[in-house]
Amino acid sequence: MAEVEETLKRIQSQNGVQGIIIVNTEGIPIKTTLDNASTVQYAGLIHQLVMKARSTVRDIDPQNDLTFLRVRSKKNEIMIAPDKDYFLIVIQNPSD
Amino acid sequence: MPPKKPKSGKSSAGSKGKGKKIQSPAARDWELSNQDHPEDIFPMVLTSATQELFDCQADEDVTGESPYKLLEKDDIIQDIKTRAAVSDFSPVKQIVLDYPEDELLLVYDRDFTYGQSFYLVLTPEAKDRILNPPKPETPEVFEKEVVKTPEPKPWISLGSDKEIDEEAFKESREKLLYKFSRVRRKFGVPVCFSDRNTADAKDDYLECASYQDSRFSIKQMQRDCGMQAVPRLQSSSAQTQWKFQKNIFTQYTPRELSVEEKENILQLESLKNFCNSVTPRVLQALQQEGIMNVFFDDWKALGTAADDGDWAGKVSEGLMLYQAFTDQKYTKDKKICSINWHPTIYGVIAVALTEKKEEQLNKSVVRASFILFYTFSDPSNPQLLLECPDDIFAFEFCPSDPNIIVGGCINGQVVLWDISAHVTRLQGTQPGKKVSVNTDACDFHQDLDDNKENKTPIVHYCAVSALESSHKAPITDVQWLPTTFEVTRMGLPVENMYNISAQVVTCSPDCTIMFWDVRVSSLVSHSASERRPIMDQKTPYSVPDTFKHLDRTWKPLFRVSLPKIDTSGEYAPLKFNLEHYTCNEANENGDSSKVIPDYSQLRLPSAKTLKALEDVNTKLYIGTEDGEIIYTDWKLGKDDSGRLQSAKPLHCFSIHHWLVNTVQRSPFFKDIILTAGSWNFAIWKEGVMDGPIILSAISEQVCTVGCWSLSRPAVFFIGKEDGSIEVWNLLEKTNEPVQIHSHVTNAKITCIKPWAASSKQHFLAVTDDIGMVRVFEIPKTLYVPSRSESLNVKKYFELEEDRLKDFLRREELWEKEKEAEELKKRRTEPDKPVISLVENEEVNVKEYNDYLMLEESVLKGMGLWQAPADTQDN
């Protein structure tokens, strides 16, 4: 528990970070720093995106796997770090 | 006279005759035989004499309708006897003699069916037939068949009984009877029957087998066989396939974990591992983001303003002359004081012409003053003339209704025009539009010439303010109050309910600023009823009555006077500028609905019902005759005696040395004001009370007018007395203009107004002292703002402001230092300055005495010494 908190704190301390969400494999958020509605929305949408991205990478080369996914938009950047059981979503506002 | 025959009979005979005429040789009519005329008629010719004799003149006694004439047999015989061979009836003499009856029928054969014009009917039967034709068959007439029930009739055999007999089954012979019996002793014993094949016994039977005879074979060509058409019934059903199942609506809730589950998971080891493994990656990405922006396109961001790719060929850097407008008739010896672009119609400029300088004293030659409307399509003829009571120095289009124009006269009156009747004329001259110009005669009035179609219409003014309540000096500036707020009689700003501009502010060198309202006020209506009959007589017809209520009785809402700050007396304003208050409340429903209100119906709202707006900036910048810039508040305050009085101005700066001719706010920044006058111009920031933030150097020429560019915050134009235009760009050079267009015109430039016609065309209208209007096209470099120009200019102004403050502070410091030094000096050498004065005095006196003695001695020596008569005091 404490480790998780510590991780979150470290990430949160970077400048421009707007929110962090930890989601399990089914897309259900476990821990978040945003409000419930946004969390649920992000988790649901991004979970699908990650599944798609991962399957794409593995289709091309079955021995390959997705390690990181960054979605950059006009207003902010969403970073997704997938793992075997969970994945971590970080939303950052770029400084410029 | 033959009796009238039934028409049908005649027509049928006639028609039959016609038919026969066409097909006479081949027709097989029952009348005809081999001859071309039947036997019982005889065609003959009757001479006119005969015709007269027998009263059967062609077409007179006998006609096509009644061709029958009965002639007496005796008459004919008589005629034959009298005229013998000459008589026409001679060929039929015998027949006539044998004729059994007394009357013969002569038929006028109009159509020459039998070859002659008449024919004589020879037999009585034929006569009867012709005269009383049998009733013609009229097959068209149907008799109504009465439906009767059929009666039973005896059966008539038609051969079908034979068929039935053939098919019926009859006994052809008697039935054969076989009786079998057994011996008695076997009676009652069961009988056993068995079968025996006939083929077992050889001779038991004789057979006659059939065989195919090879001699012939009959092929059956036809066979009767019964058929019955049976409809094939098939029952089937169809159901569409719902191939693409699509959800129309889905309602869902996200799955969530309960709190305990979350707690559980958070404790898990795998989560910890996950966090540990993921953190470095994420941190790296986050930090990357902070370091630099990898997606930033430096190349693209480098030059957006300078080079825009789609310029082909040469691009002019400076102002290009687009069109020049002048009208010989109206602009001779006149100068243009004011110019305005029409806010909505493309390419329409209005200019106000005034007499030059001293000529206004010469009243004997008074020419009518006009405001001319030019359009791009017709540079040498004005499209519309607005008649003014006197020369107009300033005029403005109403921002909510461009058909209303307010102007300030040289005699201090405020004038209103309504050009809604002529707008189509102005619009009709737009490029690409083919609006038929409707110059009806009803819009012309008081024209001495004939009402020709191509004569420029003159619009008389709708209303003029009351002479006693107008300004006492020429009105030099007129502005409409913006649509966002209004002013009451008390001088308080209140909210504008209808979001229209209905109030005007005027200023004049008689040291007052007046606020006017163009709407009907409830107070005026009482006196208006008395005045109305008078007004009706005087107001000429065909003047739009939008502002009838105001004509000659218009009074201002209130006056603001400008007392001087330090001394008594007042300032004489020439130009002023209000801040446009932008209302940021949500009641901006007026934006979408561009309903132009009917100004004649507007009523002044009662001051109590309107909400007072507290945050309206009620301060004005005013430029005066003496070159001062005054910052004052037009809200009337109460002085000691309780009366409303204007406040003293807050600040006054004497920057320009002569008349101030421009006070204009930047269209991009609410608090930056450009003022121009005499030999320099200045830029002020509202709120900075210490002076202008930018002051230009003194130039050789008098700056006659200045105006901001509409699209670039850093660009403005200055017009000079020698007819040149300077283009200044604050971001490029701050001490001199970027471009100078010298000798744009030979005379002094009186007015510059920019206008953005479209995103690709920006115009600058320049007017001068000799009545010419020149329209220049602003090149792209001057109207496309550079990247973040607004921001840069803002920074520049802030810099200047800081510099000014710094400068003033330094000045103060220097003053203080100087004083301190002086003081110090005085303290260290206190005697010297005192003594030196007295000493000097003594020395002088001593010298003078010595001189006197010297003079005395010299004169004595020369023998010219005279005792001095004057008494000199030392």
Side-chain angles (χ1 to χ4, degrees):
Chain A
M1 177 74 158
E3 286 205 19
V4 174
E5 292 287 344
E6 198 205 306
T7 309
L8 288 187
K9 216 176 290 176
R10 272 177 79 187
I11 297 176
Q12 188 90 19
S13 65
Q14 298 290 326
N15 57 344
V17 172
Q18 282 176 340
I20 310 171
I21 309 171
I22 301 182
V23 187
N24 73 349
T25 40
E26 293 180 339
I28 307 175
I30 297 172
K31 188 115 176 80
T32 173
T33 62
L34 299 170
D35 58 294
N36 196 28
S38 313
T39 302
V40 154
Q41 193 179 25
Y42 268 108
L45 295 166
I46 289 175
H47 171 250
Q48 296 175 32
L49 186 65
V50 169
M51 290 302 124
K52 191 70 176 177
R54 180 179 265 161
S55 69
T56 305
V57 169
R58 290 188 75 121
D59 273 351
I60 292 169
D61 181 5
Q63 289 172 341
N64 207 352
D65 195 7
L66 182 71
T67 51
F68 206 82
L69 187 62
R70 278 165 91 162
V71 179
R72 192 192 179 82
S73 69
K74 268 200 272 192
K75 294 190 184 169
N76 48 19
E77 178 157 354
I78 306 170
M79 301 176 191
I80 305 138
D83 197 58
K84 201 157 56 72
D85 306 318
Y86 311 93
F87 48 96
L88 177 76
I89 304 169
V90 180
I91 302 145
Q92 187 197 29
N93 204 0
S95 51
D96 55 14
Chain B
M1 279 312 259
K4 275 275 186 199
K5 302 293 181 269
K7 241 200 169 25
S8 56
K10 274 181 268 170
S11 64
S12 66
S15 63
K16 279 189 183 150
K18 280 193 192 116
K20 276 179 260 173
K21 184 170 131 192
I22 296 165
Q23 24 162 319
S24 47
R28 296 246 185 103
D29 214 350
W30 56 279
E31 278 184 339
L32 275 182
S33 56
N34 289 337
Q35 307 171 3
D36 51 350
H37 66 86
E39 286 178 354
D40 40 10
I41 63 170
F42 187 76
M44 55 198 288
V45 177
L46 297 177
T47 58
S48 38
T50 319
Q51 286 179 20
E52 271 183 40
L53 210 60
F54 285 97
D55 293 325
C56 57
Q57 288 196 357
D59 288 326
E60 282 183 21
D61 299 323
V62 289
T63 58
E65 274 82 34
S66 57
Y68 303 111
K69 184 108 180 106
L70 286 166
L71 306 173
E72 295 290 329
K73 179 178 162 183
D74 296 327
D75 288 338
I76 298 174
I77 293 172
Q78 195 70 32
D79 178 57
I80 292 172
K81 281 188 186 150
T82 46
R83 295 201 289 167
V86 188
S87 168
D88 297 322
F89 292 104
S90 49
V92 294
K93 177 178 165 187
Q94 193 57 46
I95 300 169
V96 169
L97 287 170
D98 294 337
Y99 200 74
E101 290 191 9
D102 284 332
E103 285 188 340
L104 279 110
L105 179 65
L106 179 74
V107 182
Y108 171 55
D109 191 2
R110 197 155 185 267
D111 299 318
F112 287 82
T113 45
Y114 301 123
Q116 307 294 347
S117 57
F118 288 88
Y119 63 85
L120 193 67
V121 178
L122 301 173
T123 58
E125 294 86 11
K127 179 177 102 174
D128 282 333
R129 217 173 35 235
I130 292 171
L131 286 181
N132 307 315
K135 268 223 167 78
E137 313 276 346
T138 49
E140 301 89 41
V141 177
F142 289 106
E143 284 183 6
K144 248 196 173 166
E145 287 187 342
V146 179
V147 177
K148 290 187 240 173
T149 54
E151 292 168 355
K153 291 178 234 167
W155 178 63
I156 305 165
S157 165
L158 289 168
S160 57
D161 52 345
K162 287 191 203 126
E163 286 177 16
I164 293 170
D165 285 342
E166 279 170 21
E167 298 289 325
F169 186 75
K170 289 192 192 84
E171 288 183 0
S172 50
R173 58 172 168 80
E174 267 192 26
K175 293 199 178 93
L176 294 174
L177 178 68
Y178 287 97
K179 194 170 173 184
F180 295 95
S181 60
R182 287 165 77 181
V183 290
R184 189 145 182 167
R185 57 181 154 99
K186 286 202 181 160
F187 189 72
V189 174
V191 185
C192 90
F193 286 111
S194 63
D195 294 322
R196 191 176 75 141
N197 204 350
T198 49
D200 296 340
K202 263 197 193 162
D203 301 325
D204 277 352
Y205 66 97
L206 272 170
E207 67 170 349
C208 184
S210 67
Y211 60 96
Q212 192 164 24
D213 197 345
S214 57
R215 283 178 291 172
F216 63 89
S217 65
I218 302 175
K219 223 178 192 182
Q220 191 172 25
M221 300 293 282
Q222 232 177 7
R223 190 164 73 122
D224 280 334
C225 96
M227 299 267 292
Q228 187 181 10
V230 175
R232 240 206 296 182
L233 283 173
Q234 192 185 21
S235 71
S236 68
S237 64
Q239 191 176 13
T240 56
Q241 237 183 340
W242 188 20
K243 274 190 192 160
F244 302 109
Q245 296 196 357
K246 206 163 57 164
N247 276 336
I248 307 274
F249 298 106
T250 314
Q251 191 174 19
Y252 56 90
T253 59
R255 271 189 303 171
E256 283 179 356
L257 298 174
S258 65
V259 184
E260 298 88 35
E261 285 176 327
K262 284 191 194 167
E263 294 283 326
N264 282 343
I265 295 178
L266 285 171
Q267 302 293 337
L268 282 179
E269 189 69 31
S270 59
L271 188 67
K272 293 195 186 105
N273 291 340
F274 161 71
C275 284
N276 287 336
S277 65
V278 137
T279 308
R281 279 181 265 166
V282 172
L283 284 175
Q284 187 204 20
L286 287 170
Q287 281 159 3
Q288 226 176 39
E289 205 44 55
I291 293 169
M292 69 168 287
N293 182 4
V294 292
F295 296 105
F296 183 67
D297 193 349
D298 296 311
W299 182 248
K300 200 172 179 188
L302 188 60
T304 46
D307 36 2
D308 219 331
D310 50 321
W311 283 359
K314 47 191 167 101
V315 168
S316 142
E317 285 287 317
L319 301 171
M320 298 163 295
L321 181 60
Y322 184 75
Q323 252 185 353
F325 298 99
T326 184
D327 181 275
Q328 299 308 317
K329 194 160 58 149
Y330 295 109
T331 60
K332 198 158 182 301
D333 291 337
K334 285 206 185 197
K335 69 174 177 178
I336 297 180
C337 268
S338 182
I339 178 176
N340 267 312
W341 291 87
H342 195 284
T344 49
I345 306 179
Y346 171 85
V348 175
I349 313 175
V351 294
L353 300 165
T354 56
E355 300 281 346
K356 274 194 190 169
K357 296 176 204 155
E358 311 309 315
E359 287 179 32
Q360 55 201 15
L361 302 172
N362 188 2
K363 286 293 179 191
S364 58
V365 187
V366 161
R367 285 189 292 166
S369 325
F370 291 110
I371 293 183
L372 269 63
F373 274 71
Y374 288 110
T375 60
F376 278 174
S377 51
D378 195 358
S380 48
N381 289 320
Q383 295 302 314
L384 198 60
L385 298 174
L386 299 184
E387 192 180 326
C388 332
D390 219 334
D391 284 343
I392 295 274
F393 270 139
F395 71 98
E396 284 288 330
F397 286 92
C398 173
S400 354
D401 182 0
N403 291 336
I404 312 273
I405 303 165
V406 72
C409 259
I410 203 174
N411 60 3
Q413 284 180 312
V414 183
V415 189
L416 277 172
W417 289 273
D418 183 358
I419 58 165
S420 28
H422 301 273
V423 165
T424 48
R425 199 194 150 89
L426 290 175
Q427 280 171 341
T429 50
Q430 279 201 51
K433 271 205 186 158
K434 296 210 172 64
V435 176
S436 58
V437 177
N438 188 14
T439 56
D440 282 342
C442 64
D443 289 334
F444 287 81
H445 74 100
Q446 296 175 357
D447 282 334
L448 302 174
D449 308 336
D450 331 322
N451 288 350
K452 289 189 196 136
E453 285 281 322
N454 50 2
K455 190 149 158 62
T456 319
I458 302 181
V459 178
H460 198 70
Y461 47 87
C462 286
V464 129
S465 63
L467 203 51
E468 58 276 359
S469 34
S470 306
H471 287 282
K472 307 288 176 291
I475 295 181
T476 49
D477 203 4
V478 172
Q479 299 248 345
W480 287 88
L481 272 184
T483 60
T484 45
F485 70 95
E486 281 185 0
V487 177
T488 61
R489 256 175 207 284
M490 303 296 120
L492 291 170
V494 290
E495 65 161 334
N496 190 328
M497 289 219 295
Y498 306 102
N499 284 337
I500 48 162
S501 277
Q503 295 182 330
V504 181
V505 188
T506 61
C507 87
S508 149
D510 68 347
C511 313
T512 52
I513 295 179
M514 293 193 189
F515 284 72
W516 308 73
D517 195 304
V518 306
R519 293 174 290 193
V520 177
S521 85
S522 44
L523 301 171
V524 179
S525 57
H526 297 298
S527 51
S529 53
E530 306 152 8
R531 286 181 180 258
R532 204 164 284 147
I534 312 169
M535 278 194 330
D536 280 340
Q537 289 169 17
K538 284 198 186 154
T539 316
Y541 52 86
S542 78
V543 166
D545 55 355
T546 327
F547 296 111
K548 214 178 194 172
H549 50 269
L550 293 173
D551 201 9
R552 283 165 233 265
T553 59
W554 199 11
K555 286 205 186 80
L557 281 177
F558 64 94
R559 287 190 182 77
V560 177
S561 61
L562 304 164
K564 288 204 177 169
I565 291 183
D566 322 319
T567 59
S568 66
E570 291 177 328
Y571 295 111
L574 284 185
K575 295 273 176 198
F576 68 93
N577 194 283
L578 299 166
E579 181 180 339
H580 275 229
Y581 169 69
T582 47
C583 158
N584 31 9
E585 287 178 18
N587 56 348
E588 286 177 351
N589 45 4
D591 283 21
S592 47
S593 61
K594 297 266 178 193
V595 174
I596 297 176
D598 187 8
Y599 270 78
S600 55
Q601 306 301 326
L602 290 175
R603 295 275 176 278
L604 196 66
S606 160
K608 301 186 197 76
T609 61
L610 293 171
K611 190 176 65 142
L613 294 172
E614 297 299 325
D615 48 349
V616 174
N617 187 2
T618 56
K619 303 190 178 44
L620 308 163
Y621 269 91
I622 300 173
T624 66
E625 254 181 349
D626 302 319
E628 292 143 341
I629 306 289
I630 306 171
Y631 186 58
T632 181
D633 192 336
W634 53 260
K635 221 168 27 176
L636 300 177
K638 285 208 159 76
D639 68 349
D640 308 322
S641 51
R643 275 183 309 157
L644 292 169
Q645 198 161 53
S646 324
K648 284 219 163 179
L650 298 165
H651 291 275
C652 165
F653 301 98
S654 192
I655 295 293
H656 306 289
H657 307 289
W658 201 27
L659 311 166
V660 174
N661 48 42
T662 307
V663 177
Q664 199 191 25
R665 240 167 248 262
S666 167
F668 295 90
F669 303 107
K670 266 197 320 188
D671 48 0
I672 302 287
I673 295 130
L674 170 73
T675 62
S678 69
W679 290 271
N680 58 0
F681 65 86
I683 294 182
W684 307 74
K685 187 163 173 163
E686 196 164 351
V688 174
M689 292 296 116
D690 309 312
I693 53 177
I694 298 172
L695 185 59
S696 82
I698 309 273
S699 68
E700 290 171 354
Q701 301 285 332
V702 174
C703 296
T704 50
V705 68
C707 77
W708 290 98
S709 155
L710 288 180
S711 52
R712 287 193 72 178
V715 171
F716 54 92
F717 304 94
I718 302 279
K720 290 271 161 83
E721 197 181 6
D722 63 348
S724 58
I725 296 180
E726 291 178 355
V727 180
W728 289 73
N729 185 343
L730 289 174
L731 291 177
E732 284 189 31
K733 289 191 217 170
T734 55
N735 55 342
E736 58 173 19
V738 161
Q739 288 175 17
I740 302 181
H741 298 268
S742 43
H743 302 296
V744 159
T745 165
N746 292 336
K748 181 170 81 162
I749 292 190
T750 51
C751 235
I752 300 182
K753 270 274 164 73
W755 187 49
S758 64
S759 61
K760 293 254 188 301
Q761 263 190 332
H762 285 237
F763 294 116
L764 193 71
V766 175
T767 63
D768 57 20
D769 230 2
I770 51 176
M772 272 205 69
V773 181
R774 283 184 178 77
V775 174
F776 291 90
E777 198 164 336
I778 303 182
K780 207 158 186 172
T781 45
L782 285 180
Y783 71 76
V784 171
S786 59
R787 206 162 62 86
S788 64
E789 178 166 333
S790 167
L791 217 66
N792 291 343
V793 171
K794 201 164 182 182
K795 281 188 197 156
Y796 174 66
F797 285 140
E798 278 166 15
L799 245 145
E800 287 293 320
E801 187 187 334
D802 291 335
R803 183 198 61 85
L804 177 73
K805 287 206 169 98
D806 191 50
F807 176 69
L808 289 172
R809 200 168 42 86
R810 256 174 229 270
E811 255 191 356
E812 274 182 38
L813 237 105
W814 288 334
E815 283 290 328
K816 279 196 192 134
E817 274 180 10
K818 208 169 171 187
E819 271 188 36
E821 241 191 63
E822 289 276 308
L823 229 69
K824 219 164 80 175
K825 242 183 174 178
R826 248 179 251 164
R827 262 190 257 123
T828 49
E829 305 162 2
D831 311 314
K832 251 198 186 164
V834 175
I835 291 172
S836 61
L837 258 171
V838 173
E839 251 187 24
N840 270 347
E841 190 75 32
E842 280 183 6
V843 165
N844 282 345
V845 166
K846 197 159 163 241
E847 276 185 20
Y848 185 61
N849 285 338
D850 287 338
Y851 162 71
L852 277 177
M853 281 184 352
L854 180 66
E855 187 189 30
E856 202 178 312
S857 62
V858 165
L859 283 175
K860 271 183 186 159
M862 290 169 64
L864 299 167
W865 173 245
Q866 286 177 3
D870 54 336
T871 54
Q872 284 185 356
D873 291 344
N874 282 358

